[in-house]
Amino acid sequence: MSLTKLNTEQLIAKCREQDQNAQLEIYNRYYKAMYNTALRIIKDTAEAEDTMQEAFLTAFTKLSMLSDDRMFGAWLKKIVINSSLTASRKNNIHREVTLESVEYALTDDNGVSEEDLTTVKANTVLSTLNQLKDSYSTALSLHLIEGYDYDEICQIMNISYSNCRTLVSRAKESLRKKLQFA
């Protein structure tokens, strides 16, 4: 049977047996989502890719720690998030936004489809989110994009519940203010 026809649990069983083809299939199924998760936290494409790949290596080497194979995706995402947060803290230097990295979209109502407008709005929100300070950007990404609740964010970011609620609230307000001027 082809590996592409196996479900994730069957592939994980093969990965536990050090089947490199099964590992490659798992990687192919999850790498895009994990890369996007890392990129939202790290904000550097090369660093996000490195972090994502290291997270896969960690996952494959510590597969024995996974108790429920059905939870592999969530487990892997947690590894990626923790690795990304560590990398982000390590590289926590003042980032300047270059003029080339800022995208300007000038549109008029003639010839602009609703889908194009929605894409522009989503891109504006994401680029503005990346301009927030790291703690705000991370908290909002985890809450709004990744779908984590406050308790999970507290554990991931190692902060108290009240600090988490305040951080998310302030991050939303900061994002709202920046979007008004965008």
Side-chain angles (χ1 to χ4, degrees):
M1 177 180 277
S2 170
L3 290 176
T4 57
K5 295 181 181 177
L6 296 177
N7 66 30
T8 302
E9 292 82 27
Q10 292 168 320
L11 285 170
I12 296 300
K14 288 190 172 289
C15 288
R16 289 182 197 277
E17 298 167 0
Q18 307 299 318
D19 184 332
Q20 291 182 350
N21 291 326
Q23 290 175 343
L24 181 60
E25 181 61 26
I26 288 288
Y27 178 84
N28 288 335
R29 289 184 186 186
Y30 286 95
Y31 82 93
K32 287 180 186 173
M34 297 305 129
Y35 170 76
N36 287 331
T37 298
L39 184 61
R40 278 191 287 275
I41 295 171
I42 297 174
K43 299 179 189 83
D44 177 79
T45 56
E47 185 75 24
E49 189 169 329
D50 288 346
T51 301
M52 181 261 316
Q53 290 177 354
E54 288 173 18
F56 269 101
L57 289 174
T58 301
F60 289 137
T61 57
K62 297 189 178 196
L63 208 48
S64 61
M65 298 174 70
L66 179 63
S67 58
D68 184 356
D69 291 351
R70 293 175 294 168
M71 298 302 295
F72 177 78
W75 182 69
L76 177 61
K77 184 178 268 192
K78 189 165 189 166
I79 292 172
V80 170
I81 289 171
N82 288 335
S83 298
S84 299
L85 288 171
T86 300
S88 179
R89 285 186 200 112
K90 221 182 279 186
N91 299 327
N92 195 13
I93 57 173
H94 179 69
R95 292 187 185 103
E96 293 184 22
V97 178
T98 63
L99 189 57
E100 292 81 27
S101 69
V102 179
E103 295 180 20
Y104 292 97
L106 299 175
T107 60
D108 56 30
D109 290 337
N110 298 337
V112 177
S113 71
E114 182 135 351
E115 184 177 314
D116 290 340
L117 195 54
T118 301
T119 302
V120 168
K121 288 179 183 178
N123 288 336
T124 301
V125 170
L126 287 174
S127 68
T128 305
L129 179 67
N130 287 332
Q131 294 172 15
L132 298 177
K133 69 183 199 175
D134 286 344
S135 60
Y136 286 3
S137 174
T138 300
L140 276 183
S141 291
L142 291 173
H143 185 62
L144 299 176
I145 297 172
E146 302 297 333
Y148 286 103
D149 63 23
Y150 290 131
D151 290 326
E152 293 169 320
I153 296 171
C154 292
Q155 291 176 349
I156 291 169
M157 295 184 73
N158 196 23
I159 56 177
S160 69
Y161 187 83
S162 59
N163 191 6
C164 178
R165 288 182 56 88
T166 302
L167 184 65
V168 170
S169 175
R170 288 180 180 168
K172 285 179 181 177
E173 184 58 30
S174 179
L175 180 63
R176 196 175 294 117
K177 285 180 181 176
K178 285 186 179 290
L179 285 172
Q180 285 177 345
F181 298 108

